[in-house]
């Protein structure tokens, strides 16, 4: 990072989903978690579904995420991949020297801090295999208690914020009561607002992935 004290560092948040409104929401959440001296800007995929709900769509999104990163490579000081399966993150790291993080890995590392057992509450059962690959890749399998899915169609839940919160709250409760999780991640960038609203309801940490990624990328950029 440039040491000029008057220069603001720029973080590029890439939304692998193709809905601009979701990008705006996630950028707003990221900005609220950033510290002074950091700007968050968003970029939105165009070839993916508006909401990625399947493993196939997540895999397909990786190539465009990498393209977006390469297109913007001259301007940011760091990159956040804002889909929970972190599509394209490995390719960005292989091709570029910029610090890059995913919201999936960042939230799991935060959830597991101090040896905590952690679970995931989310809305997309077709992504189960992708979610469960993350703790293996991070060496956190022994601390991972599993993923619980909110009842209801993911697309319909996103259209009704109150229903989404209630359904996710049920999944969080199952993570705690049935799986013994000591921290729960709300698994998905588009679920960021619901994650913030659920945090005060529970006595165990409920972790929002976007702020986790912001904290991590700031540490990497300022290191």
């Amino acid at each position: 990072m440039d040491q000029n004290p008057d220069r603001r560092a720029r973080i590029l948040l890439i939304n692998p989903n193709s809905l601009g409104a979701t990008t705006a929401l996630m950028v707003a959440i990221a900005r609220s978690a950033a510290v002074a001296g950091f700007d968050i800007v968003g970029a939105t995929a165009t070839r993916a579904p508006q909401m990625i709900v399947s493993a196939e769509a997540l895999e397909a999104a990786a190539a465009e995420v990498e393209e977006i990163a390469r297109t913007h490579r001259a301007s940011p000081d760091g990159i956040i991949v804002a889909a929970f399966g972190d599509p394209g993150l490995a390719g960005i790291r292989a091709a570029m020297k910029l610090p890059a993080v995913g919201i999936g890995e960042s939230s799991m590392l935060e959830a597991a801090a101090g040896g905590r057992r952690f679970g995931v509450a989310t809305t997309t059962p077709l992504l189960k295999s992708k979610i469960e690959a993350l703790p293996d890749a991070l060496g956190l399998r022994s601390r991972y208690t599993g993923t619980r899915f909110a009842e209801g169609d993911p697309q319909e839940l996103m259209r009704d914020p109150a229903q989404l919160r209630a359904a996710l709250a049920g999944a969080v409760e199952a993570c705690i009561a049935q799986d013994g999780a000591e921290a729960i991640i709300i698994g998905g960038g588009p679920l960021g607002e619901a994650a913030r609203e659920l945090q005060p309801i529970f006595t165990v940490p409920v972790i929002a992935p976007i702020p986790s990624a912001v904290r991590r990328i700031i540490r990497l950029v300022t290191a």
Side-chain angles (χ1 to χ4, degrees):
M1 177 180 165
D2 190 337
Q3 297 302 309
N4 180 352
D6 297 323
R7 180 182 179 276
R8 295 176 65 84
R10 175 171 288 200
I11 304 301
L12 175 67
L13 182 149
I14 302 175
N15 177 15
N17 307 276
S18 65
L19 187 61
T22 301
T23 307
L25 172 66
M26 293 195 293
V27 167
I29 292 171
R31 286 174 176 166
S32 72
V35 298
F38 279 81
D39 285 332
I40 312 287
V41 296
T44 309
T46 60
R47 302 198 297 267
Q50 290 191 348
M51 182 179 176
I52 293 172
V53 298
S54 71
E56 292 77 14
L58 191 72
E59 289 177 4
E64 187 174 9
V65 169
E66 293 173 33
E67 289 172 19
I68 292 170
R70 288 195 298 270
T71 298
H72 291 81
R73 68 190 309 159
S75 57
D77 297 284
I79 294 172
I80 295 172
V81 176
F84 198 67
D86 301 340
L89 179 61
I92 292 170
R93 286 176 172 162
M96 303 172 65
K97 294 182 179 179
L98 283 176
V101 303
I103 64 171
E105 64 165 17
S106 298
S107 57
M108 287 193 177
L109 289 167
E110 182 173 313
R116 288 185 301 208
R117 289 166 51 78
F118 69 92
V120 176
T122 190
T123 61
T124 48
L126 295 178
L127 289 176
K128 183 178 180 181
S129 63
K130 294 296 184 182
I131 294 169
E132 296 197 330
L134 285 173
D136 285 336
L138 295 167
L140 298 175
R141 169 57 61 175
S142 64
R143 301 183 196 174
Y144 171 63
T145 63
T147 297
R148 295 283 178 169
F149 297 98
E151 293 186 8
D153 177 82
Q155 307 275 6
E156 293 181 7
L157 289 174
M158 286 301 297
R159 288 191 285 267
D160 187 336
Q163 186 181 2
L164 175 63
R165 284 192 303 273
L168 282 170
V172 171
E173 289 170 357
C175 286
I176 298 168
Q178 299 180 42
D179 303 331
E182 298 165 317
I184 296 91
I185 302 162
I186 303 301
L191 307 179
E193 190 63 34
R196 292 200 301 186
E197 293 169 350
L198 288 169
Q199 286 172 332
I201 298 174
F202 295 93
T203 57
V204 304
V206 175
I207 293 172
I210 294 171
S212 292
V214 171
R215 288 187 285 269
R216 186 155 173 255
I217 196 67
I218 287 174
R219 288 195 298 270
L220 292 174
V221 169
T222 56

